[in-house]
Amino acid sequence: MAVRPFDVSVALAGLAGGLLLWGFGLGVRPDSDPVVLFGGRWALLVPLGVTACCELLRHTAPRTALAVGTLALAADVMTQGSIATIVMYTDLMYAAVVYGSPATARRLPWITGVLTLAGMLVPYAVYRVPEALLIGLVVGAVTFAPASTGLIVRNHRDAAVAARLQAEQTALLAEMDRVQAVTAERSRMARELHDLVANHLSAIAIHSTAALSLDDPATSKDALAVIRENSVQGLSEMRRLIGILRDGADDREPAATPTLDGLGGLADNARANGLDVALDAEPGAVPAPVELAAYRIVQESLTNALKHAAPGRVSVSLHRSPHALEIRVTSPYGDRDGPRAPGSGAGLVGMRERAALLDGSFGAGPEGGPEGTLWVVRATLPVSDVEQGEM
């Protein structure tokens, strides 16, 4: 075990102080005192040196240092004694409580307290003079006082460590909350950006492809009209989104929050882009988060139908049950002759996330039926106990 430089300094300081007192011939008691069994000035140097060596272990082996130091103190009592030995022993007692095991820190104050009380009562019972109580006071000053001081210091140190750990954990939790909040906001903005722009860009891509592939001035003119309308609407919604982001208005939607009353306009826009849409919507009154999620799911389903569906009717139905809003969008599934717009799969991910945020369910895939194979989008959004928040 390595000896700490500070412990070396303490040991050297104690030894130097003891040698200085020894040089001046200063001891705790005269050579004629009855308790002095080893007279002469040289005898007290042995416990002084042993105690100084124990100081080297005050950090690394405090209990061993205290045990050996106790023996050295007992030997010092049998000599003329040195104040330096006593002072270094009090430091060993303090170090044993501060740097020792938790069990040692708990027991030493109790043990030294009992020794102090015994040091007062036993001599008084034997000699029956008040001066005998001073023996207990000396024992308390040498043992109980440093042990109690060490316990107080250790408790304060442990409390400081606990407070620091709690502060670090709080900071870590705050950072995790911040990261989660940023991630959630990024996901929300990604969904909104996709829903606001994807429909218009898909229509532009499909009609521009049609205009380029068909050598028909009338068809090209109609396609250009649709392209212009969708590009103007897309730019307008993009400007609103950028304006909201620049203003830092986190409590608002990136654009005017759509409602289910706008499903008719959404269907008309899809028809203008070439879809045959049949709308059957009886949603009733639903909470705002459910209304927004349902609108976006229908919007994205129509966008996917525009990009991928085979020719045929696209059916949109919304019906309110006592506890949920049922959404079903079907479109012909199969190969199509017209142009396609590339897809990334983000639309299905966004619809699934919107349903999950409301503790609802979502599913999409091909299903067979009397009318042939259909691509069916189903979503169930609970309408009870929904918090009024942003989706």
Side-chain angles (χ1 to χ4, degrees):
M1 59 185 68
V3 178
R4 299 193 178 187
F6 179 77
D7 296 341
V8 175
S9 300
V10 172
L12 292 178
L15 182 61
L19 291 176
L20 183 62
L21 294 176
W22 178 81
F24 283 105
L26 298 177
V28 177
R29 61 189 68 84
D31 192 42
S32 59
D33 194 296
V35 299
V36 177
L37 301 181
F38 305 99
R41 297 177 56 207
W42 294 96
L44 59 85
L45 293 179
V46 176
L48 175 66
V50 172
T51 307
C53 292
C54 292
E55 288 281 33
L56 298 174
L57 305 177
R58 61 191 300 276
H59 269 94
T60 55
R63 289 195 300 179
T64 302
L66 179 63
V68 177
T70 301
L71 296 177
L73 181 66
D76 184 75
V77 172
M78 300 178 189
T79 66
Q80 290 184 5
S82 172
I83 296 178
T85 301
I86 297 173
V87 171
M88 285 191 291
Y89 181 79
T90 61
D91 180 67
L92 293 177
M93 181 66 70
Y94 168 85
V97 175
V98 174
Y99 307 119
S101 64
T104 301
R106 289 193 304 268
R107 293 169 183 169
L108 278 180
W110 287 99
I111 295 173
T112 56
V114 172
L115 291 177
T116 300
L117 187 61
M120 296 176 66
L121 298 179
V122 173
Y124 181 77
V126 173
Y127 298 107
R128 296 291 180 176
V129 292
E131 290 78 4
L133 297 174
L134 296 176
I135 298 176
L137 294 179
V138 173
V139 173
V142 175
T143 60
F144 180 71
S148 301
T149 303
L151 183 61
I152 294 173
V153 172
R154 183 180 183 123
N155 288 338
H156 281 291
R157 184 192 65 187
D158 293 344
V161 171
R164 184 173 67 253
L165 291 176
Q166 184 177 7
E168 292 175 353
Q169 292 176 352
T170 302
L172 179 61
L173 291 175
E175 178 63 17
M176 292 175 61
D177 291 341
R178 187 193 69 81
V179 172
Q180 290 176 356
V182 170
T183 302
E185 183 63 12
R186 287 169 62 94
S187 298
R188 186 180 75 90
M189 298 307 299
R191 289 193 302 270
E192 294 299 329
L193 180 61
H194 179 274
D195 292 341
L196 288 175
V197 180
N199 183 50
H200 299 297
L201 292 182
S202 298
I204 291 173
I206 291 174
H207 285 278
S208 62
T209 302
L212 291 173
S213 60
L214 297 177
D215 189 12
D216 185 354
T219 303
S220 298
K221 184 177 180 180
D222 294 338
L224 289 175
V226 174
I227 290 172
R228 183 184 184 282
E229 181 181 356
N230 281 277
S231 62
V232 170
Q233 293 179 2
L235 286 174
S236 177
E237 292 177 351
M238 182 65 73
R239 289 192 190 99
R240 288 197 296 268
L241 174 62
I242 294 174
I244 293 299
L245 293 177
R246 284 179 175 172
D247 293 340
D250 294 333
D251 57 339
R252 293 185 292 166
E253 287 296 318
T257 303
T259 64
L260 294 181
D261 293 336
L263 289 179
L266 194 63
D268 292 339
N269 185 63
R271 294 188 188 102
N273 289 328
L275 286 180
D276 180 12
V277 180
L279 178 63
D280 178 17
E282 298 177 0
V286 296
V290 175
E291 195 168 20
L292 173 61
Y295 182 93
R296 294 303 190 198
I297 290 174
V298 173
Q299 182 184 42
E300 180 59 28
S301 298
L302 292 178
T303 301
N304 288 342
L306 178 64
K307 293 191 294 184
H308 306 296
R313 170 159 292 193
V314 178
S315 300
V316 179
S317 65
L318 286 85
H319 295 283
R320 162 78 182 269
S321 66
H323 302 291
L325 177 64
E326 304 288 342
I327 304 170
R328 186 173 187 269
V329 182
T330 63
S331 57
Y333 181 74
D335 296 332
R336 57 185 290 174
D337 298 331
R340 289 177 176 268
S344 63
L348 292 177
V349 173
M351 289 189 286
R352 184 172 288 105
E353 288 179 349
R354 290 185 183 277
L357 288 173
L358 294 172
D359 293 329
S361 61
F362 174 83
E367 293 184 8
E371 301 177 358
T373 304
L374 299 176
W375 180 269
V376 181
V377 174
R378 298 178 183 273
T380 302
L381 306 179
V383 295
S384 59
D385 300 330
V386 175
E387 296 182 359
Q388 300 296 317
E390 292 184 346
M391 293 296 106

